[in-house]
Amino acid sequence: MKRPTNHNSNHRSAFTLLELLAVITIISILLALILPAIGQARRSADETALSVELKQLEQALASFKARFNRYPPSSITLWDTAAEWNTHPNDKAVIRSMWRDFDFTTGGRGPAAGHPWAGTDKELTGDECLVFFLGGVPVANGAGVPPTLAGFSKNGKWPFAIGGENRDGPFFTEWKDQEARLVDDTPSDSGPDEIYSYTDGLGTNQVPMWYSAADNGRYLNGDPVYYQGDGKTPWNRDTFQLIAPGSDDEFGNIQQSATFKAIWTEGMDMDSTRSEEKDNITNFSGGRLSR
């Protein structure tokens, strides 16, 4: 006789609601553990890439020095008239140290009328000096489009002239691949001033990295620079410091260096009052200031 089929066998066709909730909970816990690790790994990779780029900037600055017998200044105003140059001898001396034949009567024959630089004084801070001296005169490419950094004319009388193939630089060729990181962060009253800075590519990608240049072992008063543990000796005392704010877009106490000497030493464990500095990346610390 044929036995009846048992429909209450152990075969199951679906998960119960409780089992689904358990699986979802486990997956959520795993994601909570894994995602921060992935994010940290990505940040570490980005920071490592930036450290490599700082090395490339160091090489570019060395190439600039080999050509002009000095590192770029980290603060200067490019004056528009001979009278202004004559009343600012320090700026004039810096330019003359690079271009001894510079024509101060025409401001080095800068860009033609219609260019945002024409007929204006151009005050450059450290972040702007880094881009200008390593990149050269910016040639505008239209609204919202990063400029072409055209180097300098080899005619030492008019190095800021645009045009001609006989030019020095750009000394940092990676500008072409990183145009999105060129920002005009100090627009004039009439709009962008076409004086650019270079961001570190981390965080919001809007805060420029800083460049400070030493002059005979001294940095400009007010330049944000780091000192060694003695509070007297700056890092890279005879060259320059490159400082990037990191993924939090904050430099921290280094911004107060006019009144507070920011001290950093190898292996330093910064306390909570200096937390904004921990992810600062420099050319003398081998990466982050503090883990």
Side-chain angles (χ1 to χ4, degrees):
M1 184 175 75
K2 192 174 183 180
R3 294 185 179 182
T5 303
N6 182 3
H7 293 287
N8 294 319
S9 68
N10 291 329
H11 176 73
R12 300 173 60 184
S13 60
F15 289 104
T16 66
L17 179 59
L18 287 176
E19 289 171 330
L20 284 174
L21 290 174
V23 171
I24 292 171
T25 300
I26 292 171
I27 292 174
S28 299
I29 293 172
L30 290 174
L31 287 175
L33 294 173
I34 292 171
L35 289 180
I38 293 174
Q40 179 59 44
R42 183 175 298 168
R43 282 192 297 273
S44 295
D46 290 342
E47 290 173 359
T48 298
L50 180 58
S51 295
V52 172
E53 188 173 79
L54 292 183
K55 292 290 185 183
Q56 294 172 331
L57 283 167
E58 284 186 309
Q59 293 170 2
L61 287 162
S63 296
F64 183 94
K65 183 182 180 184
R67 174 66 181 87
F68 293 109
N69 300 312
R70 60 163 297 150
Y71 291 115
S74 52
S75 178
I76 193 171
T77 298
L78 306 177
W79 302 97
D80 185 56
T81 66
E84 289 174 309
W85 280 115
N86 288 334
T87 55
H88 296 88
N90 290 338
D91 290 338
K92 189 173 184 179
V94 169
I95 292 298
R96 181 160 279 162
S97 70
M98 292 182 279
W99 297 287
R100 64 180 183 180
D101 297 324
F102 190 93
D103 184 0
F104 293 98
T105 63
T106 62
R109 188 176 284 181
H115 189 284
W117 279 44
T120 62
D121 302 327
K122 294 159 281 291
E123 182 179 355
L124 277 61
T125 55
D127 52 323
E128 295 166 336
C129 284
L130 181 68
V131 172
F132 176 70
F133 287 102
L134 291 188
V137 181
V139 179
N141 289 321
V145 180
T148 297
L149 300 177
F152 303 101
S153 170
K154 285 191 175 181
N155 183 339
K157 190 175 182 179
W158 302 313
F160 301 162
I162 294 176
E165 296 181 358
N166 194 19
R167 304 186 70 80
D168 283 315
F171 295 89
F172 184 63
T173 56
E174 282 72 14
W175 301 129
K176 292 182 179 180
D177 299 325
Q178 302 290 349
E179 288 182 340
R181 290 166 56 189
L182 289 173
V183 296
D184 185 353
D185 65 336
T186 53
S188 64
D189 293 338
S190 58
D193 59 7
E194 298 294 332
I195 300 176
Y196 287 83
S197 304
Y198 190 56
T199 71
D200 63 10
L202 306 176
T204 63
N205 195 38
Q206 293 298 310
V207 180
M209 66 174 69
W210 188 263
Y211 165 73
S212 294
D215 183 10
N216 294 321
R218 297 173 61 89
Y219 284 86
L220 288 175
N221 184 35
D223 257 10
V225 293
Y226 278 100
Y227 288 79
Q228 298 180 31
D230 60 8
K232 298 177 182 179
T233 308
W235 288 96
N236 293 1
R237 59 170 296 171
D238 297 317
T239 54
F240 50 83
Q241 293 187 19
L242 293 167
I243 306 170
S247 57
D248 66 355
D249 291 334
E250 298 288 347
F251 286 99
N253 283 325
I254 190 64
Q255 294 175 312
Q256 307 170 24
S257 61
T259 56
F260 171 81
K261 290 185 177 180
I263 295 173
W264 176 83
T265 57
E266 294 279 357
M268 181 177 183
D269 184 17
M270 295 181 173
D271 60 30
S272 59
T273 64
R274 301 183 66 181
S275 60
E276 292 176 344
E277 290 177 83
K278 289 183 178 181
D279 68 339
N280 287 4
I281 299 169
T282 76
N283 67 318
F284 53 86
S285 62
R288 267 178 171 247
L289 288 179
S290 177
R291 297 291 173 184

